Amino acid sequence: MTTGSSSTSSATADGGGSRGSGISTFRGQERALRADRLGTGGLLLSVLAATAPLMVVAGVMPTTFAVMGIEGQPLLFVLLGVVLVLFSVGYAEMSRHVHNAGAFYAYISRGLGGTAGASAALVALVAYNALQVGIYGIFGFEVSGLFSTYADLQVAWWIPALVAVLAVGALGWLKIDVNARVLGVLLIIEVALVVIFDIAAVADPAKEGLSLHAFNPDTLSGAGVGTALCFCIAAFLGFEQAPVYAEETSRPHILVPRVMFLAVGGVAVFFALSCWALTVATGPSQIVGVSQKQSAGLLFYLTDSKLGGTFTDVLHILFVTGMFAAMLSFHNVVARYAFAMGREGLLPSAFGRTTSASGAPATGSLLQTAVSAVIVIVFAIADDKPTGDPTEPVLHLFTWFGNIGALGVILLMAAASLSVIVFFARRGAASAQAWRLVTSALSGIALVVIAVYTVKDFDVLVGAGPESSLSWILPGIIGLAVLVGLVQGLLLRSRNPEAHARIGLGNEAFQLDKAATETP
């Protein structure tokens, strides 16, 4: 009943009742994302691009081996895959009932209420912005290195970073199916090159042979396991984005769950095998030492010896294009969260509009582009100061923002797990959905544990000292987003309860508006 009155009120406020159904239909084109843009393949490629497989294999894996000294990292990917499959069971079932571009906050509002949803919305906006912006740092650094190596040109890292900001912003205005094609081509080539390395490593192992020692549970003992989990779970981020595109698919109740399971299962297997291939190429007993020596150059060091310089050169280039694909994927997600929030009154209404030409959430895309440009410029200015290490601003941009974003998404997944349980319990479906509620509870507990380790060891994750204020300032950004979102939700509930009741309804609320407007 509340929803109905809210919708009618909103329609009147918009002027729909006095202007007729023609305007209402036009507004429908602006306030709803275009359906039928993505099929299973396009949705899967859009989601997987965010996982940046080459960046994980070349960056995350060597860093985890080197910093945490744990040989059993491949086993961690298997364990995390199990946790995230458990999470996906309830999350995917929820996606059959809720189709909203603001996936996480829409699900959380349906289960835990509009105020919690408002908080989740701001956390999601901050987290995905941070993940996307952080990649610009390492992207600029790598492109600058390519210019220096292959063209003998010294180019400041922030120049290619800002060019990428503009390119990603321009692509964000295009139809999502065009974006999916760009992401798909880059992703397929990227994965193919990693698979070639995996085969080469298995075909020519180190002295220890095809050892499965990295999958031995005994390798996961020690104080660094919790922190290693934090490093590794960041590699999976992207699979949870499938519901964000639900409104742009023809059969969201079928395609979204299918893509989520394909994504998380495929990512877990791919990363576990690729990580194992690294241990095979060096020998399990040597992987930590070699990683500490080679750092992020480990993969390129190994391919150079096994597959030659030409292959390694191509891999360097694809490393950059893979990062570009991840930036574009996260950009699309941020734009759609901003769109959903604008449509429901959590951001100015201008954000809840799409372009008439492509159906893309243009204002949200502009916001993300502006945020990225400002942050890159700030770090570029910092780069001009004599810090003693010219790479500091670049590496800080990547590590600081990447871990802020990862913490935010982990917390959102934990809250979504609880929301799934409450949602079905309130609908009287607890018995029918019992096994899904159990998997949600198990994954929720595991995600909370990982979140606790992430906060506890944040100084290690960002490379700061244990006494550094960064260890609480950086995770505090997510905490601040939680609090500001809660305050916004409470204020909205007291000042405009009808708008508060619409949080999480998304396009469903618009359809009610349209029906109320067209009713004689």
Side-chain angles (χ1 to χ4, degrees):
M1 296 300 292
T2 303
T3 303
S5 62
S6 163
S7 303
T8 304
S9 169
S10 176
T12 304
D14 282 346
S18 61
R19 299 185 185 184
S21 61
I23 296 296
S24 179
T25 302
F26 172 73
R27 287 183 175 179
Q29 292 172 344
E30 288 189 326
R31 292 174 59 189
L33 295 165
R34 301 281 179 86
D36 299 332
R37 292 289 193 193
L38 293 173
T40 300
L43 180 57
L44 182 62
L45 293 173
S46 295
V47 167
L48 287 178
T51 62
L54 186 51
M55 187 168 67
V56 171
V57 177
V60 174
M61 292 178 187
T63 300
T64 306
F65 280 127
V67 175
M68 306 318 306
I70 293 176
E71 298 171 5
Q73 187 182 168
L75 181 56
L76 286 181
F77 283 109
V78 175
L79 296 176
L80 285 171
V82 172
V83 169
L84 296 178
V85 165
L86 292 176
F87 165 78
S88 298
V89 169
Y91 192 60
E93 183 62 22
M94 193 80 163
S95 73
R96 300 180 191 276
H97 300 266
V98 182
H99 306 149
N100 191 333
F104 268 133
Y105 92 79
Y107 293 4
I108 290 169
S109 3
R110 293 296 186 93
L112 306 180
T115 300
S119 179
L122 190 56
V123 171
L125 196 64
V126 171
Y128 283 114
N129 257 301
L131 285 168
Q132 201 261 8
V133 173
I135 301 174
Y136 283 115
I138 193 69
F139 176 87
F141 181 71
E142 289 296 326
V143 173
S144 176
L146 289 178
F147 274 112
S148 176
T149 302
Y150 298 106
D152 198 24
L153 290 175
Q154 300 303 314
V155 178
W157 69 269
W158 53 267
I159 294 176
L162 284 177
V163 170
V165 169
L166 296 177
V168 168
L171 286 170
W173 278 65
L174 299 179
K175 298 175 183 178
I176 188 59
D177 50 335
V178 175
N179 278 260
R181 293 190 194 103
V182 173
L183 294 172
V185 170
L186 296 177
L187 178 70
I188 290 170
I189 298 174
E190 190 179 349
V191 169
L193 292 180
V194 175
V195 170
I196 290 172
F197 162 73
D198 293 346
I199 294 172
V202 171
D204 182 24
K207 293 180 180 180
E208 296 171 59
L210 296 178
S211 171
L212 295 177
H213 177 71
F215 291 106
N216 187 334
D218 292 341
T219 61
L220 298 183
S221 59
V225 175
T227 311
L229 281 171
C230 305
F231 274 113
C232 294
I233 197 170
F236 283 88
L237 298 186
F239 85 93
E240 79 291 345
Q241 296 175 10
V244 172
Y245 300 98
E247 293 181 35
E248 296 166 272
T249 64
S250 57
R251 298 173 296 158
H253 60 292
I254 295 174
L255 295 186
V256 171
R258 177 190 298 168
V259 165
M260 281 186 60
F261 285 113
L262 286 173
V264 72
V267 167
V269 171
F270 178 78
F271 284 158
L273 290 178
S274 296
C275 194
W276 172 68
L278 289 175
T279 70
V280 168
T282 63
S285 64
Q286 302 298 315
I287 184 64
V288 172
V290 176
S291 295
Q292 290 171 342
K293 181 179 180 181
Q294 298 295 332
S295 187
L298 175 65
L299 178 63
F300 305 107
Y301 164 75
L302 293 173
T303 58
D304 194 49
S305 63
K306 293 182 179 298
L307 295 164
T310 301
F311 182 90
T312 303
D313 290 341
V314 173
L315 199 64
H316 271 292
I317 295 171
L318 266 296
F319 183 43
V320 169
T321 60
M323 287 188 284
F324 184 86
M327 291 186 293
L328 178 57
S329 181
F330 281 121
H331 175 91
N332 288 334
V333 169
V334 171
R336 280 153 182 77
Y337 266 101
F339 167 80
M341 293 171 69
R343 186 169 57 182
E344 298 180 8
L346 295 173
L347 284 177
S349 59
F351 288 96
R353 297 286 184 266
T354 61
T355 63
S356 58
S358 67
T363 312
S365 181
L366 282 174
L367 172 67
Q368 210 290 317
T369 301
V371 168
S372 299
V374 168
I375 294 176
V376 168
I377 290 170
V378 168
F379 275 78
I381 293 172
D383 196 16
D384 286 336
K385 297 180 180 179
T387 60
D389 182 357
T391 67
E392 276 188 7
V394 184
L395 300 180
H396 288 167
L397 179 57
F398 179 61
T399 57
W400 292 0
F401 282 77
N403 284 294
I404 289 170
L407 174 60
V409 176
I410 292 168
L411 291 174
L412 287 169
M413 287 195 288
S417 297
L418 174 60
S419 182
V420 168
I421 297 171
V422 176
F423 176 80
F424 288 111
R426 284 180 175 173
R427 291 166 65 98
S431 298
Q433 302 283 358
W435 72 279
R436 291 188 175 93
L437 303 193
V438 171
T439 60
S440 294
L442 292 173
S443 66
I445 292 169
L447 289 164
V448 167
V449 170
I450 294 172
V452 169
Y453 272 113
T454 302
V455 174
K456 172 180 171 291
D457 296 332
F458 215 83
D459 59 320
V460 178
L461 294 173
V462 299
E467 304 301 322
S468 173
S469 58
L470 291 175
S471 62
W472 60 268
I473 289 176
L474 294 178
I477 292 173
I478 294 297
L480 183 62
V482 171
L483 293 176
V484 171
L486 287 173
V487 170
Q488 182 187 20
L490 291 171
L491 288 175
L492 191 63
R493 187 173 67 177
S494 64
R495 295 176 180 178
N496 192 344
E498 293 179 347
H500 184 272
R502 295 160 61 92
I503 295 175
L505 291 180
N507 199 35
E508 295 175 37
F510 163 71
Q511 296 299 338
L512 291 171
D513 282 354
K514 183 178 177 182
T517 302
E518 295 179 346
T519 300

